[in-house]
Amino acid sequence: MANLKQERTFVLIKPDGVKKGLIGEVIKRFEQRDLKIVALEMFEPSRDMIDNHYPKYDAWIERVGGKTLSTYAKYGVDPIEALGTDDAHKIGTMVRGWLLDFMTSAPLVRMVVEGAHAVDVVRKIAGPTLPYAAEVGTIRGDFSIDSPAIANSEKRAVANILHASETPQEAEHEIKHWFGANAGFSYKRFGIDE
Ligand code: ATP
Ligand code: MG
């Protein structure tokens, strides 16, 4: 059985996180929860690398478009008036394009985070996708208030500080995509590994 303390997840600090000076804050919140940074680098991504990072399948695109539609429904915005369509797939495709613009607008910080239930715990520390709905105490809830209604009206993606893998399978794929096959250093954390 795999060592349960060595689950790994992939985290990308997005342009707004870098530009708000939150690199240290993000790392601090992982480390204080006994998670271990095992790879870390600032870099400038190509549009192609970002394009291949985000999923391209219909269900994902529709889920992204659906976030706009549900926020619009809640706040009484007509999607046809705002975006010219109420089709989740078409809106999702638009948002995906804005996401590529956003993610290539500044240097990013990529890292591999390791520890017990790293995938779920990191998502919990990050908070849910939409900052306006994220609980206070999460990174997204403490440092952003962005929403699809605001972002889409400015023809941009939601700025939510960081990306984190959603499942261990996605983490494995993303670590390989961003760091190559043999990513990550090995060391012991006091009080956790020794
Ligand atoms: P990430 O994959 O970046 O960790 P997530 O898993 O919480 O975030 P996804 O549904 O995978 O969210 O969407 C990817 C990213 O696309 C979001 O983090 C956000 O920046 C942007 N995004 C998603 N839905 C919308 C939307 N409706 N309008 C604008 N931007 C969006
Ligand atoms: Mg995601």
Side-chain angles (χ1 to χ4, degrees), residues 14 29 123 125-132 134-135 137-146 159-164:
K14 298 184 177 186
R29 286 176 180 226
R123 295 278 296 184
I125 294 169
T129 309
L130 306 179
Y132 83 93
E135 299 80 7
T138 64
I139 295 170
R140 286 163 168 171
D142 284 351
F143 296 104
S144 176
I145 199 169
D146 207 14
N160 55 9
I161 311 192
L162 72 167
H163 158 83

Side-chain angles (χ1 to χ4, degrees), residues 96-108:
R96 200 178 183 285
W98 297 333
L99 195 50
L100 301 192
D101 297 338
F102 173 52
M103 294 295 284
T104 50
S105 66
L108 309 178

